[in-house]
């Protein structure tokens, strides 16, 4: 079985949705199709939710009405016959009645998450009806039946697998199973999500849960490029990556993949292929566990919004147990640490989630003096066993020239050297 995931731009226009039906039909065997919301929808739902939380109902209604118009014109182009136009109309009306119901009630974080789930719920229904109109047999399998996260927001892969396997095998003689990316249930059984860009993660979790032959991520670019094409000109696609390399790139900012996408696939050795919906002949990128030959630099990614925290304590740093106590502060605040460097008198570390920064700072003050630098960027340089090769750091530092470097991390993984710079130097 193959898992095919189509991102927002791949389903964002009626003609693209028709195109992905062709791509699905052209893939032999049984497949699970994971869809994102139409491009722009989740952003708009976030905006509506923010307005509602801020008590700005009129602004929320304005956004809602615009989004509804967008869907009205979408279905006009998607469906050919009058009867399916009517079905499309019914779907859109039902969703927007529900969105307005959410908006009219006591809107809280639970309602917010329900609102965010509507994008994937509607895109999958619209696509399913498109296949129905073309008399293509398929089934809709709600992700909320099987996709779940625990109290730490971590996907419960084993449970997902236990639920999904019988569901999929109950669909005998069905080659196309459609489900929603991004959405899930949390440990309170409420509707939740896998964070922005999470449909990639859904696809990989499903691929691991059913031990798929392959997970294909179809997007608007011909694979993982060697640098961020939104910032750097003349980037080129990379044909092969190892799980480790791809994982580092995704985690450190390559937007083409949700940061955690590779983890489940790697666990069960399921290859992940990145493909371009607009150019299906392009080879894309294949990500596997095959050990690539040690080579030179393969790719660079950057992660913004990093906060660096320096804890200086001549008294305590050398004492055993000191780092454990520092790490405990972050653990207690459910904040993960990305980079860390130590000297005899100080330790510097970075976090990407500054939600609990004020109380983290307060607790760290017990250990010594604290310095915080916001708006930092991690630049992550990736290549197979690059840290074991001669002259690698020299080349990196030559390239950095006069750019002031706040931290360097090398040796944690053999595939990656990371440097922390102020965001203004990122480009
Ligand atoms: P989707 O909606 O299909 O999930 P995304 O917008 O999330 O698509 O991801 C695809 C985009 O990721 C590309 O259009 C590209 O601008 C961006 N991107 C950032 N870094 C990279 C990279 N290293 N390689 C390829 N694409 C990248
Ligand atoms: N629709 C969600 C988002 O925009 C998930 C995804 O597209 O992967 O973040
Ligand atoms: Mg994405």
């Amino acid at each position: 079985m193959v898992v095919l995931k189509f991102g927002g731009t791949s389903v964002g226009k009626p003609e693209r949705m028709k195109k992905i039906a062709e791509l699905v039909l052209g893939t032999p065997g049984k497949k699970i199709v994971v869809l994102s919301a139409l491009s722009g929808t989740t952003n708009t739902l976030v905006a509506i939710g923010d307005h509602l939380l801020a008590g700005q109902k009129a602004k929320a209604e304005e956004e809602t009405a615009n989004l509804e118009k967008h869907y009205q014109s979408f279905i006009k182009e998607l469906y050919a016959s009058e009867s399916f136009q009517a079905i499309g109309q019914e779907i859109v009306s039902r969703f927007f009645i529900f969105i307005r119901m959410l908006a009219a009630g006591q809107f809280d974080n639970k309602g917010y998450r329900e609102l965010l789930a509507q994008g994937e719920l509607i895109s999958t229904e619209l696509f399913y009806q498109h296949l129905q109109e073309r008399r293509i047999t398929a089934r809709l399998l709600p992700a909320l039946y099987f996709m779940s996260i625990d109290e730490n927001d971590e996907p419960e892969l084993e449970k997902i697998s236990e639920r999904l396997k019988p569901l999929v095998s109950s669909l005998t003689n069905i080659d196309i199973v459609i489900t929603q990316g991004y959405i899930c249930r949390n440990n309170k059984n409420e509707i939740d999500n896998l964070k922005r860009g999470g449909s990639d993660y859904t696809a990989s979790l499903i691929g691991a849960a059913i031990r798929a032959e392959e997970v294909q991520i179809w997007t608007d670019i011909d694979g993982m490029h060697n640098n961020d094409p939104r910032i750097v000109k003349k980037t080129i696609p990379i044909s092969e990556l190892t799980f480790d390399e791809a994982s580092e790139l995704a985690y450190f900012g390559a937007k083409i993949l949700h940061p955690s996408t590779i983890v489940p696939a790697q666990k069960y050795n399921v290859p992940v292929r990145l493909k371009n919906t607009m150019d299906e002949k392009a080879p894309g990128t294949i990500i596997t566990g095959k050990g690539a030959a040690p080579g030179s630099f393969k790719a660079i990614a950057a992660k913004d919004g990093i906060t660096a925290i320096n804890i200086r304590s001549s008294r305590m740093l050398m004492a055993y147990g000191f780092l454990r106590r520092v790490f405990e502060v972050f653990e207690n605040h459910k904040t993960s640490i990305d980079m860390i460097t130590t000297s005899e008198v100080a330790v510097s570390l970075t976090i990407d989630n500054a939600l609990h920064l004020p109380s983290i700072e307060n607790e760290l003050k017990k250990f010594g003096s604290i310095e915080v630098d916001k708006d930092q960027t991690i630049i992550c340089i990736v290549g197979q066993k690059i840290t074991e090769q001669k002259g690698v750091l020299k080349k990196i530092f030559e390239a950095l020239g006069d750019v002031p470097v706040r931290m360097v991390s090398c040796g944690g993984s053999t595939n990656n050297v990371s440097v922390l710079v102020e965001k203004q130097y990122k480009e």
Side-chain angles (χ1 to χ4, degrees):
M1 218 175 325
V2 179
V3 182
L4 306 168
K5 177 260 172 176
F6 295 92
T9 41
S10 305
V11 290
K13 296 222 168 83
E15 71 266 20
R16 299 237 171 99
M17 211 177 241
K18 293 177 191 169
K19 168 84 183 290
I20 65 167
E22 300 301 332
L23 292 172
V24 170
L25 280 175
T27 307
K30 192 160 177 164
K31 49 244 149 200
I32 301 190
V33 178
V34 177
L35 298 188
S36 293
L38 313 194
S39 50
T41 295
T42 311
N43 285 346
T44 306
L45 293 173
V46 167
I48 294 170
D50 288 345
H51 289 319
L52 290 173
L53 283 182
Q56 296 169 324
K57 291 208 173 195
K59 279 191 181 161
E61 172 50 35
E62 199 184 311
E63 297 269 7
T64 306
N66 285 339
L67 191 65
E68 188 173 13
K69 268 191 219 133
H70 179 66
Y71 277 86
Q72 301 283 10
S73 46
F74 192 92
I75 55 167
K76 279 201 187 99
E77 273 184 60
L78 182 65
Y79 301 114
S81 64
E82 258 180 42
S83 55
F84 276 85
Q85 289 277 340
I87 290 173
Q89 185 58 55
E90 201 183 287
I91 296 171
V92 173
S93 302
R94 174 160 44 84
F95 271 90
F96 281 88
I97 288 172
F98 182 66
I99 289 173
R100 289 192 171 94
M101 263 166 56
L102 281 175
Q106 271 287 1
F107 193 78
D108 55 9
N109 281 325
K110 184 165 166 274
Y112 195 146
R113 291 191 299 261
E114 262 177 69
L115 177 66
L116 295 188
Q118 301 313 308
E120 273 68 14
L121 288 168
I122 190 169
S123 69
T124 44
E125 266 204 57
L126 294 176
F127 181 64
Y128 173 71
Q129 292 299 346
H130 170 63
L131 297 186
Q132 289 284 97
E133 185 172 31
R134 291 173 61 178
R135 296 180 186 279
I136 301 166
T137 310
R139 286 287 184 281
L140 253 185
L141 181 61
L144 298 178
Y145 283 9
F146 60 87
M147 193 56 72
S148 61
I149 51 175
D150 65 15
E151 66 279 12
N152 297 315
D153 293 347
E154 285 297 326
E156 303 176 307
L157 183 52
E158 298 317 314
K159 285 190 188 165
I160 294 165
S161 181
E162 277 164 30
R163 294 184 201 114
L164 186 57
K165 279 184 192 160
L167 283 169
V168 171
S169 34
S170 73
L171 300 170
T172 42
N173 300 322
I174 300 293
D175 273 352
I176 304 173
V177 180
I178 304 161
T179 194
Q180 298 84 20
Y182 179 60
I183 66 173
C184 61
R185 287 196 183 274
N186 63 23
N187 69 320
K188 294 185 205 123
N189 210 25
E190 297 163 351
I191 296 180
D192 212 316
N193 60 66
L194 302 173
K195 311 263 160 35
R196 295 304 307 271
S199 299
D200 304 325
Y201 201 13
T202 302
S204 175
L205 286 163
I206 292 178
I210 60 163
R211 318 288 193 262
E213 280 157 55
E214 185 168 291
V215 172
Q216 298 182 0
I217 311 266
W218 288 81
T219 182
D220 61 353
I221 189 164
D222 53 350
M224 177 76 80
H225 277 220
N226 62 338
N227 213 322
D228 190 333
R230 294 167 302 175
I231 296 167
V232 178
K233 288 197 190 100
K234 294 187 190 154
T235 59
I236 48 164
I238 305 165
S239 56
E240 286 179 36
L241 283 170
T242 64
F243 285 128
D244 289 336
E245 290 169 330
S247 207
E248 308 256 19
L249 290 168
Y251 187 74
F252 287 110
K255 193 202 169 214
I256 185 168
L257 290 176
H258 175 286
S260 308
T261 306
I262 299 301
V263 179
Q266 181 166 23
K267 185 164 182 197
Y268 291 103
N269 204 19
V270 179
V272 178
R273 196 181 290 277
L274 312 182
K275 291 283 288 177
N276 189 351
T277 316
M278 325 308 163
D279 182 8
E280 64 199 88
K281 298 242 157 51
T285 302
I286 180 81
I287 303 163
T288 63
K290 233 176 43 199
S296 191
F297 305 113
K298 251 194 197 168
I300 294 175
K303 187 172 175 181
D304 292 328
I306 303 293
T307 303
I309 304 166
N310 185 275
I311 307 141
R312 178 171 284 272
S313 162
S314 52
R315 218 167 16 97
M316 293 169 92
L317 194 64
M318 294 302 281
Y320 51 80
F322 175 72
L323 283 178
R324 178 182 53 73
R325 290 202 293 280
V326 169
F327 289 156
E328 254 170 20
V329 172
F330 290 87
E331 191 184 342
N332 293 340
H333 290 89
K334 293 192 173 175
T335 301
S336 63
I337 296 167
D338 283 331
M339 283 175 79
I340 166 156
T341 59
T342 60
S343 79
E344 212 175 312
V345 289
V347 50
S348 260
L349 35 81
T350 70
I351 57 173
D352 66 359
N353 172 5
L355 188 67
H356 302 294
L357 184 61
S359 53
I360 289 176
E361 268 187 80
N362 255 338
E363 285 192 38
L364 290 177
K365 275 181 191 150
K366 291 182 214 145
F367 303 129
S369 60
I370 310 296
E371 218 177 280
V372 173
D373 293 312
K374 295 186 178 155
D375 274 330
Q376 308 282 309
T377 295
I378 294 177
I379 312 282
C380 169
I381 302 123
V382 166
Q384 195 63 23
K385 297 210 163 66
I386 54 168
T387 62
E388 291 176 1
Q389 290 166 51
K390 278 189 197 149
V392 161
L393 288 178
K394 181 170 169 236
K395 281 188 196 155
I396 292 175
F397 283 106
E398 269 168 11
L400 283 165
D402 293 336
V403 171
V405 175
R406 170 81 170 68
M407 278 167 78
V408 182
S409 169
C410 172
S413 135
T414 55
N415 303 321
N416 151 12
V417 177
S418 295
V419 294
L420 186 74
V421 298
E422 261 179 46
K423 189 180 173 210
Q424 55 166 318
Y425 299 111
K426 161 177 145 175
E427 251 182 83

